Amino acid sequence: MATKASQAKPTKTTASDKTITRSQLLRMPKKDYMNLEQLKFFSVLLATLREETLERIAQVEDELRHPESEIDPLDRAALEDRRQLQLRIVDRELKLVKKIHQAVDRINDRSYGWCAQTGEAIGLERLLLRPTATLSIDAKEIAEDKERHFADEE
């Protein structure tokens, strides 16, 4: 018995289905900032980042579930240190997955690429380096200065 997937007709790829390249993205005029092509580019980038992150999480979780069974007592402390590091890695990666989901939500509501504080463009270069960014470089520097200022007062 054939499944729906095997009965489906192949779909044609149209020009609008293709994602632009990084080079094409960077060559686009400023007036095209966060147009549909650019949003699609970042959507694909975020989906890839999400999959890679989930794969790393699964790998570390698998290592945590299957520790070495016969351990030299002298190596036990080193193993425990490694387990603590792996747990921190998983925690950090889970936070990244949450940020990726938030970025995808911003793509869907068309606020992606715009600074959450100032409303200014974050910039393509910054988004390529940190696709989950919510602040422009200037706004991020101000926020970091405030963090340092308040940390110095404590």
Side-chain angles (χ1 to χ4, degrees), residues 61-123:
E61 286 177 338
D62 187 54
E63 290 173 14
L64 287 169
R65 276 194 287 277
H66 302 98
E68 297 175 31
S69 57
E70 297 192 23
I71 307 171
D72 183 320
L74 297 175
D75 292 334
R76 195 170 304 278
L79 179 64
E80 186 56 34
D81 284 345
R82 179 171 162 75
R83 288 178 55 82
Q84 290 300 320
L85 176 62
Q86 288 172 317
L87 289 171
R88 285 195 305 268
I89 289 170
V90 167
D91 184 54
R92 187 183 73 222
E93 298 284 23
L94 287 171
K95 288 177 184 175
L96 178 58
V97 170
K98 182 179 177 183
K99 288 181 180 183
I100 291 168
H101 284 290
Q102 292 168 343
V104 170
D105 289 343
R106 289 192 307 278
I107 285 174
N108 292 334
D109 71 16
R110 303 285 306 260
S111 64
Y112 183 81
W114 302 96
C115 180
Q117 287 185 347
T118 66
E120 296 174 354
I122 292 173

Side-chain angles (χ1 to χ4, degrees), residues 11-24:
T11 58
K12 292 182 181 178
T13 302
T14 64
S16 64
D17 292 338
K18 294 183 181 178
T19 304
I20 59 175
T21 66
R22 176 188 167 109
S23 176
Q24 290 169 323

